[in-house]
Amino acid sequence: MDFRIKKEACLSCAGQCQFSLYGKKSAFTTAFNSGDKLLFRGYIPRQIGTLSAKLSIIKDDDKSKKEIPLEWKKSEGVSDVYETTFSAKEKGLFFYRIELKGILGDICTRKRGYYGEMYFESLEESSPFDFQLTVSDFKYPEPLWLKGGIIYHIFVDRFCRKGDLAIKKNALLNEDWDNGTPEYPEYFGGHLENNVFFGGNLYGITEKLDYISSLGVNCIYLSPVFEAYSNHKYDTGDYMKIDEMFGGEEAFVELLKKAEEKNIGIILDGVFNHTGADSIYFNKYGSYDSVGAYQSKKSPYYYWYTFDKFPSEYKSWWGIDILPKLNLNHNKCRDYFVAEGGVIDYYSRMGISGMRLDVADELDDEFIKRIKDALANNKKDSVLYGEVWEDASNKIAYEKRKQYYLGDELDGVMNYPLRKGIIEYIRYANTEALRYALCEVMPNCPKRILELQMNLLSTHDTERILTALAAPSSEGKTPEELSKFKLPQAEYERGIRLLKIAYIILATLPGIPVIFYGDEAGLQGYGDPFNRMPFPWKNINEELLSFYRRIGKIRRSEALYKSSELELICLNNERLIFKRIGRKYSAVTIINRAESACRIEFDQEAKLLFGGRLDGNSIEISGESGCIVKVPLSSDMKII
């Protein structure tokens, strides 16, 4: 009989590779800062028969290659451990593989699964480099004021109405705040004016700052506030004016002042990829005194846009003709936003703490860098976020690799992969999307960005989280049917239970949890426009609100939620357990999505921060619930 191990069997063996900061605890990351001294370790199955090994690294932008010999260190289980140390001197996005010479010939590693899992194949000229390494060099100070905090996302027209309203020409007011439904089209894709307002304004936000602060919030992210025709304001009319229906500049200055007194920063939505057709710059309908680009080739704004056939055919965002696309390659257009005295300089001097960039993928890297510079000129630790729906560390947009995470652009993005993962896990027991978010997307973030990431459950572009977790699919339903849908009581109560689990996860992972106004009050709604209902001030779910406040208090009081390592302990259909490892203690998040209770036993003294029932060092977690436990650093646990 032939007992020799076949080559195919050897190549199918699993291995592991990881980077960490040399001399420190292994970090859950593949991203580092320029100048960091790195330790690379590869666990290679012994049956491969390795004779020599090297680390081969290729830089993404210029394809330059570096090869570093790996040294055998020890045997561990069925693997041989190979190591090397080197300094990360040059910033950039890199990809790497291990190349081996062995008894089976020349072999290289291939990625399998997430976070350093690998298998092996014969080395060919075309063999890919599919492990990622990011080296950043941050230009400005870290926005420490935001770390450990919470962001509150407000769609201004729907949050709170206070004082007299200045109703603009062509604007309609829906005065039924408590029961009114946002305007919706007869069919999906149908025309919608978006000129029906409920009257929420900046004075209303100022009035509710104590309420917002009670959630643990230290930053408010506002939907666009610049003058515009629509209720959503993504069709900017004049960047240098705060919309009069929101209270104008007077209301904005008051909000900034009162928010600062409560240590709450204000970040604006920067919509710089396109304007409205009804704007001082384009002026398609003659609403402004200016000579707009649509009106004359002699307009000072003519070259701010791209005309295929003047004036009726022009580049617009996704072909929507009311949103003509800006030509940011034109110097005067670009400088209008980022030069001294420009839009960003103007508002940062007023006292904003940062911006979120709408459709960031459509803005070129140099423009984003100049936005960051313009913000930092007035507030060094301002924050700049981008709307990116995928893994932003390696994002390719319009056939070009973006440089969001290299240190002179974004401080974070909207973490949609995590949102998807949480919903898929809690509602459907699907672990794959959450594992991808935790073990691929998050490790690809530089630590500084990871701890500032906008972690969200709902936005103005998605279904409300309560609806996403408990309502039937919207597929096949008409806008009218969606506008009338409310969860039956039993489904609503279960949805609240699931929402609590989702927020516990969100609030205890690295990053900044984002609350979309009204989620904490039990607001429901399918996608736009039904996710933009007025805040239910007369019908708040007080139990849910109390829960949000309690979690906010825990988050703000425990220092490790500002900065600490993440360790994923368990992720299966019934349990999610992860640990935040601080300097003096750890905080363990335990999610039991099964219907029956489970019990976790710690070998050292445990303190419940939230949820569960403590009996000695044993904690019982009821079905469809979660808890947060504070334990010594050396504590171990087991599921009973």
Side-chain angles (χ1 to χ4, degrees), residues 311-603:
S312 58
E313 296 180 15
Y314 47 86
K315 294 287 191 298
S316 58
W317 184 67
W318 282 34
I320 303 172
D321 64 0
I322 63 170
L323 300 176
K325 185 174 174 62
L326 285 164
N327 175 19
L328 292 166
N329 291 320
H330 187 265
N331 288 336
K332 287 187 178 180
C333 179
R334 182 176 290 233
D335 287 347
Y336 179 78
F337 295 101
V338 296
E340 184 176 356
V343 172
I344 294 159
D345 182 55
Y346 178 69
Y347 289 102
S348 61
R349 286 180 186 274
M350 288 178 69
I352 66 169
S353 295
M355 301 196 92
R356 172 263 192 191
L357 298 179
D358 185 55
V359 293
D361 289 344
E362 303 195 26
L363 306 175
D364 69 60
D365 289 309
E366 288 306 312
F367 184 59
I368 295 176
K369 290 175 185 178
R370 289 193 64 185
I371 292 173
K372 180 64 177 174
D373 290 341
L375 286 169
N377 282 343
N378 296 299
K379 181 178 171 57
K380 293 293 185 185
D381 61 350
S382 61
V383 64
L384 183 62
Y385 285 115
E387 181 194 12
V388 181
W389 288 63
E390 303 85 10
D391 182 350
S393 71
N394 53 32
K395 170 78 181 194
I396 295 177
Y398 300 95
E399 301 181 346
K400 186 174 181 180
R401 183 86 70 182
K402 307 301 286 187
Q403 299 179 25
Y404 297 137
Y405 286 179
L406 299 189
D408 44 14
E409 291 191 28
L410 301 179
D411 294 292
V413 299
M414 304 176 79
N415 196 347
Y416 281 104
L418 179 60
R419 174 185 185 270
K420 179 181 179 181
I422 290 174
I423 293 172
E424 288 284 315
Y425 178 67
I426 293 175
R427 179 159 189 173
Y428 303 110
N430 179 354
T431 63
E432 185 62 19
L434 184 55
R435 192 176 303 277
Y436 168 71
L438 297 179
C439 300
E440 178 83 0
V441 178
M442 292 177 68
N444 283 346
C445 290
K447 181 176 173 62
R448 168 170 159 168
I449 287 176
L450 177 65
E451 293 173 347
L452 290 170
Q453 211 70 307
M454 293 180 77
N455 292 342
L456 46 90
L457 296 174
S458 306
T459 75
H460 63 285
D461 288 325
T462 71
E463 289 182 328
R464 287 275 174 181
I465 183 60
L466 190 55
T467 300
L469 290 173
S473 169
S474 61
E475 188 174 348
K477 295 180 175 62
T478 66
E480 183 178 5
E481 289 172 326
L482 297 180
S483 73
K484 296 177 179 178
F485 180 84
K486 296 292 181 185
L487 285 165
Q489 189 61 30
E491 285 82 350
Y492 177 78
E493 290 175 0
R494 183 167 189 263
I496 294 296
R497 292 199 303 273
L498 299 182
L499 172 50
K500 289 179 180 179
I501 296 174
Y503 192 62
I504 290 172
I505 297 171
L506 198 79
T508 56
L509 282 170
I512 311 296
V514 181
I515 303 171
F516 186 38
Y517 82 99
D519 277 355
E520 79 283 6
L523 203 55
Q524 304 177 44
Y526 285 99
D528 176 18
F530 310 113
N531 56 359
R532 305 175 182 183
M533 298 288 287
F535 191 102
W537 292 109
K538 294 182 180 179
N539 191 31
I540 293 175
N541 184 315
E542 295 292 344
E543 177 201 354
L544 184 60
L545 175 60
S546 177
F547 161 81
Y548 266 82
R549 285 172 168 164
R550 188 173 173 190
I551 296 299
K553 185 176 181 180
I554 292 170
R555 178 172 172 81
R556 297 301 301 275
S557 62
E558 299 296 334
L560 55 61
Y561 289 123
K562 292 183 178 181
S563 179
S564 58
E565 299 296 335
L566 171 69
E567 180 183 344
L568 179 61
I569 298 171
C570 175
L571 174 55
N572 58 36
N573 292 347
E574 295 188 338
R575 312 276 185 271
L576 167 63
I577 305 174
F578 60 85
K579 180 188 295 187
R580 298 293 299 278
I581 306 169
R583 294 181 178 179
K584 297 181 179 180
Y585 65 94
S586 295
V588 183
T589 297
I590 305 168
I591 301 298
N592 178 19
R593 67 164 309 282
E595 294 183 2
S596 58
C598 72
R599 184 176 293 275
I600 307 292
E601 188 171 285
F602 292 88
D603 63 356

Side-chain angles (χ1 to χ4, degrees), residues 69-88:
L70 292 174
E71 182 181 354
W72 182 90
K73 285 294 182 181
K74 60 181 179 179
S75 293
E76 189 171 302
V78 298
S79 297
D80 285 325
V81 181
Y82 287 80
E83 291 183 358
T84 189
T85 60
F86 63 97
S87 293

Side-chain angles (χ1 to χ4, degrees), residues 3-50:
F3 287 98
R4 289 178 298 178
I5 298 175
K6 295 181 179 180
K7 179 177 180 179
E8 292 77 10
C10 290
L11 296 182
S12 69
C13 293
Q16 183 79 22
C17 58
Q18 65 182 41
F19 278 102
S20 60
L21 289 172
Y22 190 54
K24 297 184 179 180
K25 181 178 175 63
S26 178
F28 189 71
T29 183
T30 60
F32 301 91
N33 294 330
S34 177
D36 282 346
K37 190 175 183 182
L38 306 183
L39 168 66
F40 177 82
R41 182 180 290 122
Y43 295 84
I44 301 173
R46 195 170 302 113
Q47 67 189 68
I48 294 273
T50 303

